[in-house]
Amino acid sequence: MPELPEVETVRRGLVPAMVGHAIKHVEQRRPDLRFPLPENFAGRLEGRTIESLERRGKYLLAHLSDGALLLMHLGMTGSFLISQSEKARGKKISRSGKLVVPTSRGTHDHVVFHMSDGATVTYNDPRRFGFMLLVEPEERDTHPMLRQLGIEPLGEELTAAHLAAKAHGKRTDLKAFLLDQRIIAGLGNIYVCEALYRAHLLPTRGAASIATATGKPTAKAEALVTAIRDVLNDAIGAGGSSLRDYRHTDGKLGYFQHRFAVYNRAGKKCPREGCGGTIERLVQSGRSTFYCPRCQR
DNA sequence: AAAAGCCCCTGGACGC
DNA sequence: TGCGTCCAGGGGCTTT
């Protein structure tokens, strides 16, 4: 799933098709994703224009012209595909007289947005861990799904001092700390592994070890902040990672997975020049961690 | 209050 | 070819 770089890539892909355009029609093909879709979902969207599309952590927030917010999360396997409607590209009729639907309809296409400019935006999600909710404008920061979110890692709030202050006194290991969306919003299993590798820090070390006894940042906290920013920016620059069913809004793949140093590379050589170590896998709080035991301390 | 498990769901990879 | 097992980018909820 989509972590911050993938969600940001999706957001950028959706903007031309959705922002500034009205939602003409919504096809809702099942009553629920992870949660039930909102009451009268299509009716509350149709006729509204999407004024902007924001990302907050791993969430997407579409600001609608009536003030409402369409809150969307991709879960593990959610993706959007943009295509042109039959009308916009001209209906194709086969010799038998049947309408040929230009876009193949996947079995897990759950919601289809038909936009006023002729684009269709299809939400596909095999595991249905994703969700869509409608949120009142004043709930932008207080809705239960958003209230607890921590800082944006690409904003100015991510500093060594901030991280150290949050880590001070924590009993968890550093990996669980970074995965906690209440601390930093948007990091997931891949980019936490990659950031820890870049910062030369063991995922199993205590979170509090990036701070002094009084909660001040150490050099480790500085290295971690730099590593987090760099890995996220590199991944966004590469269009995110495409693992399994994850795709861009245009159906193309993201290429960052070719640059994973540790994620999913157990048994392979550490890519660092002259290291010669082997990437190992371990399980922390039920999830795979990949790291280089020679580079990371 | 914080931390650790369990669970939601589908599908792909792998072993037999 | 078929079946069983394990694993997967997340996160809410329940239990300790």
Side-chain angles (χ1 to χ4, degrees):
Chain A
M1 106 26 107
E3 302 180 30
L4 187 152
E6 289 74 40
V7 177
E8 179 59 24
T9 301
V10 166
R11 190 193 69 78
R12 294 177 185 186
L14 290 176
V15 164
M18 299 191 95
V19 174
H21 303 293
I23 302 169
K24 195 169 59 182
H25 176 55
V26 176
E27 281 178 65
Q28 180 187 328
R29 297 188 176 156
R30 53 174 302 126
D32 60 321
L33 296 170
R34 174 170 186 172
F35 307 118
L37 285 158
E39 196 70 29
N40 190 25
F41 185 55
R44 291 172 66 183
L45 295 174
E46 287 167 3
R48 278 69 166 181
T49 295
I50 298 178
E51 301 196 323
S52 59
L53 186 60
E54 177 190 14
R55 181 191 56 71
R56 176 76 175 99
K58 300 174 196 171
Y59 291 85
L60 288 171
L61 275 161
H63 294 249
L64 305 178
S65 48
D66 64 358
L69 301 171
L70 172 59
L71 177 65
M72 300 178 281
H73 195 288
L74 304 177
M76 292 274 268
T77 56
S79 65
F80 287 97
L81 185 70
I82 297 172
S83 56
Q84 296 304 309
S85 68
E86 299 97 79
K87 194 176 177 183
R89 54 165 70 175
K91 284 182 183 168
K92 292 180 186 165
I93 309 290
S94 73
R95 276 189 300 173
S96 63
K98 269 187 144 179
L99 177 69
V100 177
V101 179
T103 309
S104 66
R105 172 182 296 191
T107 44
H108 300 296
D109 290 350
H110 305 308
V111 178
V112 184
F113 301 95
H114 296 265
M115 305 303 297
S116 57
D117 63 339
T120 65
V121 178
T122 302
Y123 179 70
N124 180 283
D125 189 352
R127 291 175 75 179
R128 302 199 305 277
F129 286 170
F131 52 87
M132 296 186 189
L133 300 174
L134 282 165
V135 170
E136 297 304 316
E138 58 272 17
E139 290 187 295
R140 163 67 178 70
D141 299 310
T142 58
H143 187 277
M145 297 287 184
L146 303 168
R147 185 177 49 211
Q148 303 240 62
L149 285 182
I151 58 170
E152 284 292 325
L154 296 179
E156 299 196 345
E157 313 106 312
L158 179 62
T159 61
H162 183 272
L163 259 203
K166 290 286 187 187
H168 180 57
K170 283 274 192 303
R171 309 259 167 161
T172 34
D173 54 44
L174 190 51
K175 191 199 177 197
F177 173 76
L178 294 175
L179 277 176
D180 187 341
Q181 301 299 295
R182 297 170 300 179
I183 310 293
I184 299 175
L187 294 180
N189 207 32
I190 292 176
Y191 297 107
V192 165
C193 290
E194 294 294 317
L196 286 168
Y197 171 79
R198 290 188 184 206
H200 307 295
L201 295 172
L202 273 180
T204 48
R205 72 166 41 244
S209 69
I210 65 165
T212 66
T214 56
K216 300 290 175 216
T218 64
K220 293 179 178 64
E222 299 283 356
L224 190 52
V225 161
T226 302
I228 290 167
R229 275 212 209 91
D230 287 354
V231 75
L232 294 178
N233 281 322
D234 287 354
I236 291 171
S241 312
S242 296
L243 290 174
R244 301 179 185 84
D245 42 9
Y246 175 71
R247 285 272 197 290
H248 285 190
T249 51
D250 57 5
K252 295 203 181 106
L253 301 168
Y255 290 98
F256 192 75
Q257 77 274 18
H258 301 303
R259 297 203 223 152
F260 290 164
V262 291
Y263 184 80
N264 222 4
R265 296 193 68 244
K268 303 221 163 85
K269 286 285 158 208
C270 170
R272 189 169 65 89
E273 194 78 27
C275 169
T278 302
I279 305 306
E280 293 193 13
R281 172 185 182 270
L282 61 82
V283 175
Q284 286 176 287
S285 49
R287 314 194 58 186
S288 291
T289 297
F290 301 91
Y291 68 105
C292 173
R294 286 173 80 157
C295 292
Q296 294 172 254
R297 294 295 153 115

